[in-house]
């Protein structure tokens, strides 16, 4: 492309065109320089702008940490110490753009695999491209559809949204029972995104199975600015526990309004906005004792996750942790396949069990994909805010502390 | 005569270009979306440029088209080619429903009313889960490749379909512009009161353009769904990435001209991609910031659109040819 530009150009604009041409050619020069070391290109597609940018940045940090560690330790041994070369790209918040970006990474950068893209809708759009091009896609997006479509090249590292929703309710009941409280009436509030609706459906089904009355079941638009009507309804409902499922800003608004109105019933968040440092920063003391379901938590493997805190200055949020695990598993698969070819790596990933390294940080202590690509060993955990940290309080066998339940 | 040769030459270049790109590659995808957005902006131009009604709700018709054909293929196995016309029909009805109460509004008021309509459609698609799949979105099923099923393994046929669509809507735009209806629209644009006085049924003419624009926009929604393969309510009913973008493309290129939307799309879509390619691995959000700065610079440089650059180039060439 750059060549045609410079040939067609007139003499008077030569310098301008030369500048443009070199700008256009710069990615090619960079990639050819790297090609001499034969690195393995791995695509990282994250929402780096828009509403979910913070989650995308967290995820990228986790991936960069692992990539740098592996490279520093001598790269991929089976490929003669080949270095990992991350190609990071912005998925924005539009699924179609995410798909186009995936197409670019596959054809321009010849990536072995792609990691991404936090938000389920972006991941689904990317998977439509990777599936047609037979490139493995490793993700920590929750949506059930991700591994529910019979795709062969997708790997979901965490439990599905419906399982998270079910655990959110079941764990809560168990925690309440353990502290001598009884719940028979709950409230559900969720944002009307793919993640919110899927997780709410899991909550609803679990509540029905446990014979619990859902006194309030309300969807609200992402980016809601006034939660007072919701909170008024919550007060009137007489619920003994509230299950909000939302990203960051909504979660801050909901909990703040609730506590300011002196509604002190336990709040059990649905991961996302409830388990990142900004939640505590935005709410201060109101955050204390708020519970949240999470696909993983950093306190289960402090020896690994403290490295993240040391480098980036905040605790290793779950999306960073799961993406770190995803990259570790991918590299293990490349080592096993002794090849950086996408189809060999997919073969090595499918149906295999991965242990050691970052997989220890997951519940189950390992990662094993079934034929749909779902990690069957991953079990959600319940975390609670205690003095600016998230403490795993359930299930009992992995818990690092006892849950505080004040009803 | 010369004009026709020039037009044919441009079409010939456009027809050959996709063949030079890798059929499974990245640039052909960018080209396909560029052609699609050019066509969408051209359709917007029918109402935005000719009738001078700045619609910010064209995502509504677009989404109706995408959803109609995809739901028909998912639930009944009906080919998207037929679904495209079903979507066009529903898009036309939607345009009629929205146009009747809003056509009397002018300027900002019309823009805001249409913006709200797009948003209403997004909420409906989000809530009506049994039909639309809700916020999770819909995936176009992958059926064995065939022209009849509108299913291809490669992007190349999609690029040609988008090119043909662009040519068709451009011809429709130009035909309307030159027809009696075009003259009526121009009269309304200049002075609505005077147009009424000389016997033009302004409401009827505006309604006609709104319905034509709605039908075509919905049909393009089907093409988009077939290329993107997956979409959710936020994608196809988006104010920012559909409604405002098509208006922006037409305005940046030159409102009310047949070439404007094409120039606008040829600039906006590839530059946006290039910025993402070059800068998105750096600081988060940097690529969009740079893209925004470029847009501002371009609008300051050519407030009346790229068409002015195009016109002055044309003038220079014809002067040279004469001397």
């Amino acid at each position: 492309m750059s060549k045609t530009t410079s040939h067609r150009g007139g003499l008077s604009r030569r310098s301008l065109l030369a500048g443009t041409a070199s700008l256009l050619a710069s990615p090619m020069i960079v990639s050819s320089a790297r090609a001499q070391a034969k690195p393995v290109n791995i695509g990282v597609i994250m929402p780096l702008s828009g509403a979910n940018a913070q989650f995308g940045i967290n995820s990228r940090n986790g991936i960069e940490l692992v990539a740098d560690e592996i490279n520093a330790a001598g790269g991929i041994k089976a490929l003669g110490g080949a270095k990992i070369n991350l190609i990071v790209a912005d998925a924005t918040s539009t699924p179609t753009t995410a798909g186009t970006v995936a197409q670019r990474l596959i054809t321009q950068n010849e990536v072995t695999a792609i990691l991404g893209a936090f938000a389920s809708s972006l991941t689904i759009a990317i998977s439509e491209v990777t599936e047609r091009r037979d490139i493995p896609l490793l993700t920590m997006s929750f949506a059930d559809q991700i591994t529910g479509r019979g795709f062969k090249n997708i790997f979901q590292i965490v439990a599905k949204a419906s399982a998270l929703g079910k655990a959110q309710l079941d764990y809560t009941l168990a925690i309440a029972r353990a502290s001598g409280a009884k719940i028979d009436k709950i409230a559900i509030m969720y944002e009307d995104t793919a993640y919110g609706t899927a997780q709410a459906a899991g909550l609803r089904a679990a509540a029905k199975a446990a014979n619990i009355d859902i006194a309030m079941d309300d969807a609200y638009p992402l980016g809601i600015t006034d939660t007072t009507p919701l909170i008024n309804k919550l007060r009137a409902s007489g619920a003994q526990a509230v299950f909000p499922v939302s990203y960051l800003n909504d979660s801050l608004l909901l909990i703040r309004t609730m506590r300011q109105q002196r509604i002190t019933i336990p709040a059990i968040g649905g991961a996302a906005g409830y388990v990142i440092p900004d939640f505590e920063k935005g709410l201060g003391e109101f955050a204390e004792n708020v519970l949240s379901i999470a696909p993983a938590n950093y306190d289960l493997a402090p020896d690994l996750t403290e490295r993240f805190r040391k480098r980036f200055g905040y605790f290793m949020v779950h999306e960073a942790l799961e993406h770190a695990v995803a990259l570790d598993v991918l590299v293990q698969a490349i080592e096993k396949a002794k090849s950086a070819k996408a189809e060999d790596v997919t073969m090595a990933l499918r149906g295999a069990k991965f242990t050691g390294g970052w997989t220890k940080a997951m519940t189950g202590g390992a990662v094993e994909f079934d034929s749909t690509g779902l990690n069957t060993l991953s079990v959600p955990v319940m975390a609670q805010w205690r003095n600016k940290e998230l403490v795993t309080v359930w299930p009992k066998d992995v818990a690092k502390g006892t849950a505080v339940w004040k009803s | 005569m010369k004009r026709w040769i020039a037009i044919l030459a441009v079409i010939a270049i456009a027809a050959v270009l996709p063949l030079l790109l890798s059929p499974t590659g990245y640039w052909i995808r960018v080209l396909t979306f560029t052609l699609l957005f050019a066509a969408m902006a051209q359709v917007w131009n029918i109402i935005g440029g000719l009738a001078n009604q700045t619609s910010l709700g064209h995502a509504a018709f677009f989404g109706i088209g995408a959803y109609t054909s995809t739901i028909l293929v998912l639930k009944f196995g009906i080919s998207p080619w037929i679904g495209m016309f079903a979507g066009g029909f529903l898009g036309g009805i939607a345009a009629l429903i929205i146009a009747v109460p809003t056509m009397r509004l002018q300027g900002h008021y019309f823009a805001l009313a249409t913006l709200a309509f797009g948003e209403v459609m997004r909420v409906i698609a989000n809530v009506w889960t049994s039909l639309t799949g809700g916020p999770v979105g819909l995936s176009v099923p992958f059926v064995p490749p065939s022209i009849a099923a509108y299913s291809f393994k490669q992007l190349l046929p999609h690029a040609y379909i988008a090119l043909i669509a662009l040519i068709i809507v451009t011809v429709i735009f130009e035909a309307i512009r030159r027809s009696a209806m075009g003259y009526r629209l121009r009269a309304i644009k200049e002075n609505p009161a005077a147009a009424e006085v000389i016997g033009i049924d302004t409401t009827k003419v505006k309604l006609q353009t709104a319905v034509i624009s709605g039908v075509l926009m919905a049909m393009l929604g089907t093409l988009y769904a077939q290329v993107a393969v997956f979409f959710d309510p936020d994608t196809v009913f988006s104010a920012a990435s559909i409604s405002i973008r098509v208006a922006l493309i037409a305005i940046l290129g030159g409102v009310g001209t047949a070439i404007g939307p094409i120039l606008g799309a040829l600039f906006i879509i590839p530059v946006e991609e290039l910025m993402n390619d070059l800068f998105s691995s750096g600081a988060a959000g940097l690529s969009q910031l740079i893209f925004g700065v470029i847009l501002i610079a371009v609008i300051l440089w050519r407030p009346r659109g790229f068409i002015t650059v195009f016109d002055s180039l044309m003038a220079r060439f014809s002067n040279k040819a004469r001397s």
Side-chain angles (χ1 to χ4, degrees):
Chain A
M1 216 192 144
S2 52
K3 269 181 197 162
T4 50
T5 320
S6 52
H7 283 310
R8 229 186 271 152
L11 282 173
S12 59
R13 298 192 178 169
R14 184 182 276 170
S15 59
L16 176 71
L17 283 169
T20 319
S22 62
L23 186 70
L24 287 169
S26 58
M28 294 163 208
I29 294 164
V30 172
S31 58
S32 67
R34 281 179 189 154
Q36 287 163 347
K38 280 195 180 166
V40 176
N41 283 350
I42 292 171
V44 178
I45 308 178
M46 294 294 165
L48 297 173
S49 54
N52 287 326
Q54 188 57 50
F55 299 104
I57 293 165
N58 292 342
S59 303
R60 187 193 62 191
N61 287 349
I63 293 168
E64 279 180 353
L65 176 74
V66 174
D68 290 350
E69 284 180 3
I70 291 173
N71 284 344
I76 299 168
K77 310 234 161 33
L79 300 177
K83 295 274 189 285
I84 296 168
N85 180 29
L86 299 177
I87 318 276
V88 182
D90 185 3
T92 71
S93 42
T94 317
T96 313
T97 308
T100 306
V101 166
Q103 190 91 43
R104 185 178 85 219
L105 296 191
I106 294 168
T107 50
Q108 313 282 90
N109 304 96
E110 295 171 345
V111 293
T112 296
I114 290 176
L115 304 173
F118 184 75
S120 295
S121 58
L122 301 176
T123 307
I124 293 173
I126 294 170
S127 74
E128 295 286 354
V129 174
T130 52
E131 186 67 15
R132 283 169 175 75
R133 303 297 305 275
D134 286 324
I135 302 285
L137 170 65
L138 288 89
T139 184
M140 52 64 65
S141 298
F142 304 159
D144 290 47
Q145 282 80 358
I146 287 172
T147 45
R149 293 166 299 163
F151 280 14
K152 297 188 298 290
N153 299 293
I154 191 146
F155 300 94
Q156 197 171 19
I157 210 101
V158 294
K160 298 191 251 194
S162 56
L164 275 165
K166 185 177 184 316
Q168 196 180 350
L169 188 96
D170 292 350
Y171 289 4
T172 304
L173 295 184
I175 290 169
R177 213 177 299 124
S179 61
K182 196 178 172 314
I183 298 180
D184 45 25
K185 219 180 207 184
I186 59 159
I188 302 173
M189 300 181 220
Y190 58 99
E191 52 164 51
D192 63 357
T193 60
Y195 142 72
T197 31
Q199 200 160 320
L203 268 169
R204 214 172 284 133
K208 217 171 237 171
N211 247 335
I212 302 233
D213 179 26
I214 303 175
M216 175 181 170
D217 188 353
D218 274 32
Y220 64 85
L222 172 65
I224 188 171
T225 49
D226 182 11
T227 54
T228 318
L230 276 174
I231 301 303
N232 286 342
K233 199 170 168 190
L234 172 66
R235 182 198 297 282
S237 74
Q240 294 145 330
V242 57
F243 294 82
V245 181
S246 55
Y247 289 120
L248 179 64
N249 293 339
D250 313 356
S251 68
L252 296 182
L253 212 53
L254 279 171
I255 301 294
R256 191 181 298 127
T257 316
M258 236 176 90
R259 296 303 190 226
Q260 277 170 349
Q261 296 205 13
R262 306 254 152 81
I263 298 177
T264 55
I265 58 168
I268 305 97
Y274 292 85
V275 285
I276 53 172
D278 295 288
F279 182 76
E280 192 278 330
K281 268 188 218 150
L283 285 174
E285 56 174 334
F286 287 154
E288 190 71 7
N289 291 338
V290 169
L291 289 151
S292 178
I293 198 73
N297 195 24
Y298 62 96
D299 71 347
L300 297 182
D303 52 322
L304 293 165
T305 56
E306 281 307 303
R307 305 210 288 255
F308 183 95
R309 196 198 297 258
K310 217 173 134 196
R311 174 160 164 187
F312 297 107
Y314 59 100
F315 67 70
M316 191 166 195
V317 291
H318 79 87
E319 64 266 22
L321 174 61
E322 290 140 18
H323 275 115
V325 173
L327 179 57
D328 192 315
V329 164
L330 175 64
V331 171
Q332 286 193 35
I334 296 172
E335 294 275 15
K336 206 174 105 189
K338 297 188 173 56
S339 158
K341 266 203 192 135
E343 55 266 41
D344 298 341
V345 176
T346 305
M347 285 295 287
L349 280 167
R350 205 176 300 149
K353 185 169 182 174
F354 297 91
T355 54
W358 281 87
T359 63
K360 280 186 295 184
M362 297 292 286
T363 49
V367 170
E368 185 171 18
F369 298 112
D370 66 7
S371 58
T372 66
L374 178 69
N375 174 14
T376 51
L377 301 179
S378 174
V379 181
V381 297
M382 188 68 84
Q384 189 165 38
W385 279 101
R386 297 278 185 74
N387 194 23
K388 302 186 180 185
E389 294 289 329
L390 278 169
V391 180
T392 305
V393 293
W394 207 268
K396 259 201 170 132
D397 54 324
V398 294
K400 299 284 171 185
T402 318
V404 175
W405 184 268
K406 283 187 206 156
S407 50
Chain B
M1 194 61 204
K2 243 184 191 171
R3 216 187 139 86
W4 281 107
I5 294 168
I7 291 171
L8 284 176
V10 169
I11 293 176
I13 293 169
V16 173
L17 188 62
L19 293 174
L20 303 176
L21 303 167
S22 159
T24 52
Y26 161 61
W27 282 109
I28 193 138
R29 186 173 162 120
V30 176
L31 177 73
T32 309
F33 280 115
T34 305
L35 293 168
L36 266 181
F37 269 98
M40 285 152 66
Q42 192 71 280
V43 166
W44 180 89
N45 206 15
I46 293 174
I47 182 159
L50 296 180
N52 203 25
Q53 296 276 56
T54 306
S55 161
L56 294 181
H58 260 50
F61 317 124
F62 182 72
I64 286 171
Y67 268 106
T68 305
S69 65
T70 308
I71 289 169
L72 286 178
V73 71
L74 278 172
K75 300 216 162 162
F76 307 105
I78 294 171
S79 165
W81 289 119
I82 299 166
M84 181 166 81
F85 288 94
F89 178 72
L90 291 180
I93 290 183
L96 198 64
I97 292 171
I98 176 73
V100 168
T102 59
M103 266 304 161
R104 285 165 214 288
L105 301 173
Q106 301 211 324
H108 309 309
Y109 301 101
F110 178 78
L112 285 176
T114 51
L115 189 68
F117 185 62
E119 205 39 31
V120 167
M121 292 308 299
R122 190 188 68 81
V123 172
I124 290 174
N126 249 345
V127 178
W128 197 349
T129 311
S130 58
L131 183 73
T132 62
V136 174
L138 289 179
S139 285
V140 177
F142 187 69
V143 294
S146 77
I147 295 175
Y150 200 154
S151 175
F152 310 106
K153 270 200 130 160
Q154 299 179 333
L155 278 170
L156 191 66
H158 287 290
Y160 280 111
I161 291 168
L163 177 65
I164 293 165
L166 174 59
I167 293 172
I168 291 173
V169 296
T170 305
V171 168
I172 292 175
F173 172 86
E174 201 50 32
I176 293 175
R177 199 176 68 86
R178 291 165 184 222
S179 69
M181 193 175 162
Y183 285 106
R184 284 188 208 115
L185 284 168
R186 229 162 300 156
I188 297 168
K189 192 173 165 180
E190 295 297 327
N191 190 334
E196 285 273 6
V197 170
I198 58 168
I200 296 171
D201 187 345
T202 55
T203 313
K204 188 180 151 199
V205 177
K206 282 189 194 169
L207 270 183
Q208 284 169 339
T209 47
V211 170
I212 293 169
S213 190
V215 168
L216 294 174
M217 193 71 179
M219 292 173 83
L220 291 172
T222 300
L223 302 196
Y224 184 93
Q226 292 303 118
V227 185
V229 190
F230 166 79
F231 60 91
D232 58 8
D234 287 349
T235 314
V236 289
F237 290 119
S238 163
S241 63
I242 303 293
S243 292
I244 292 174
R245 192 191 286 192
V246 294
L248 179 72
I249 288 170
I251 291 165
L252 199 73
V255 181
T257 63
I259 303 161
I262 301 170
L263 294 177
L266 279 175
F267 177 78
I268 285 195
I269 307 294
V271 168
E272 199 176 8
E273 275 306 321
L274 202 64
M275 291 305 116
N276 190 309
D277 190 356
L278 292 178
F279 300 111
S280 76
S281 57
L286 181 66
S287 60
Q288 299 210 332
L289 182 74
I290 295 175
F291 179 61
V293 170
I294 292 175
L295 278 189
I296 293 170
V298 163
I299 288 170
L300 288 176
W301 173 53
R302 289 287 164 176
R304 299 190 63 87
F306 284 132
I307 189 74
T308 55
V309 185
F310 185 78
D311 284 346
S312 61
L313 275 178
M314 278 304 188
R316 242 170 81 182
F317 274 122
S318 53
N319 279 346
K320 263 185 193 166
R322 245 174 258 152
S323 62

